[in-house]
Amino acid sequence: MTDKHDELQHEAAQAVANEEVRQAVAEEAERPAPAFEVILASNSPRRRDLLEAAGVAFTVRTPVTPVDESLEPDLAANPEEAAKKLAERKAGAVIQEVLAENYEGMLIVIGADTMVVLDGKIFGKPRSASDGKHMLRQLSGRTHEVITAVSVWMVNAPTAEDISLGFRTFADTSYVTFRDLTDEEITEYLRKGESFDKAGAYAIQGEGASLVDHYEGSLDTIIGLPAGRLIREFPDLVAAS
């Protein structure tokens, strides 16, 4: 168990510098650099670290008014579309505030949202320890999806009145299989305190690695930002840096 825990923690620590990201950065290294500013519309330290390791120069800004993360029934029934919609809301809210300041220049804003999904049900951040325990009990011994959606908005504003705006959103999915967990293991993990701002009540890059048997797909997606795919699909991010 200790070996598996240590192995997963090591993989998570190295994820921000994985070969996929390095290759994507190298492929775009020769592109001429446009004068884009880049904003990450997230306070997540994990997303910040992944984007920094990918070689992107950016600032962090979140909306003054928190984004409404409630979901209409049709979105709640479609987790991938729900994650994409929330990523768009987060980036779009920052765009609105920036443009209200009479912004001039070229800007890229990145919004992201991560969801844990089991049997079509979305697991958000736990509201309490009992909620976290309930989530982890359901995930125990099962394979669940982790969907991270990324919305990238581009603004070209030669003047504050002359604005061109466009955006594109994608979602990436990985699969995580938990060990069969005892109630004691769940309680002990929750005591560590890293669950309460994490979808599904665990962090694979932290002590939550001890809960995981294996995963399939991109570890960056599970952590919160599929950096390699982001750079491939939006090479201006690297060029701007």
Side-chain angles (χ1 to χ4, degrees):
M1 182 58 58
T2 299
D3 290 344
K4 173 64 70 174
H5 183 190
D6 292 345
E7 179 183 346
L8 280 168
Q9 284 195 310
H10 178 70
E11 289 182 25
Q14 294 299 314
V16 296
N18 62 44
E19 185 63 26
E20 181 182 43
V21 172
R22 290 198 299 271
Q23 288 178 353
V25 171
E27 289 169 3
E28 302 304 329
E30 300 303 318
R31 289 173 57 91
F36 278 110
E37 298 177 56
V38 180
I39 292 176
L40 175 63
S42 172
N43 276 326
S44 165
R46 299 162 296 283
R47 292 186 181 124
R48 182 187 63 220
D49 291 346
L50 289 165
L51 199 56
E52 284 178 350
V56 179
F58 64 95
T59 57
V60 171
R61 176 168 176 169
T62 54
V64 174
T65 302
V67 170
D68 178 11
E69 297 193 29
S70 61
L71 296 171
E72 298 81 3
D74 59 332
L75 276 178
N78 189 333
E80 180 174 311
E81 289 304 312
K84 289 165 70 174
K85 180 60 68 176
L86 292 182
E88 289 169 3
R89 287 180 190 172
K90 292 173 182 178
V94 170
I95 287 286
Q96 286 184 328
E97 292 185 0
V98 169
L99 294 181
E101 298 166 358
N102 296 319
Y103 177 81
E104 295 181 2
M106 299 175 70
L107 178 67
I108 297 175
V109 177
I110 304 167
D113 189 80
T114 300
M115 290 185 173
V116 168
V117 182
L118 179 68
D119 296 334
K121 178 183 177 182
I122 298 170
F123 286 47
K125 298 173 183 178
R127 297 179 298 273
S128 63
S130 61
D131 190 29
K133 181 177 291 187
H134 180 65
M135 288 183 185
L136 295 176
R137 279 175 176 162
Q138 292 181 80
L139 297 175
S140 174
R142 303 282 308 281
T143 298
H144 62 269
E145 300 171 77
V146 180
I147 302 170
T148 294
V150 182
S151 186
V152 178
W153 295 56
M154 294 189 179
V155 176
N156 183 12
T159 70
E161 293 76 29
D162 182 13
I163 300 169
S164 299
L165 174 66
F167 72 94
R168 185 155 57 90
T169 306
F170 70 86
D172 200 73
T173 302
S174 293
Y175 301 87
V176 179
T177 301
F178 270 24
R179 298 185 296 102
D180 287 318
L181 305 175
T182 66
D183 282 350
E184 290 75 17
E185 287 176 311
I186 291 172
T187 299
E188 180 59 28
Y189 174 65
L190 290 170
R191 285 198 190 103
K192 299 179 186 298
E194 71 177 16
S195 304
F196 299 107
D197 64 341
K198 310 293 190 303
Y202 77 97
I204 196 171
Q205 74 276 11
E207 296 295 329
S210 66
L211 313 178
V212 175
D213 182 78
H214 65 277
Y215 70 88
E216 299 174 32
S218 167
L219 185 57
D220 288 0
T221 294
I222 303 169
I223 295 173
L225 189 72
R229 181 174 173 181
L230 176 63
I231 291 169
R232 287 196 305 273
E233 297 201 14
F234 299 92
D236 284 339
L237 288 169
V238 175
S241 304

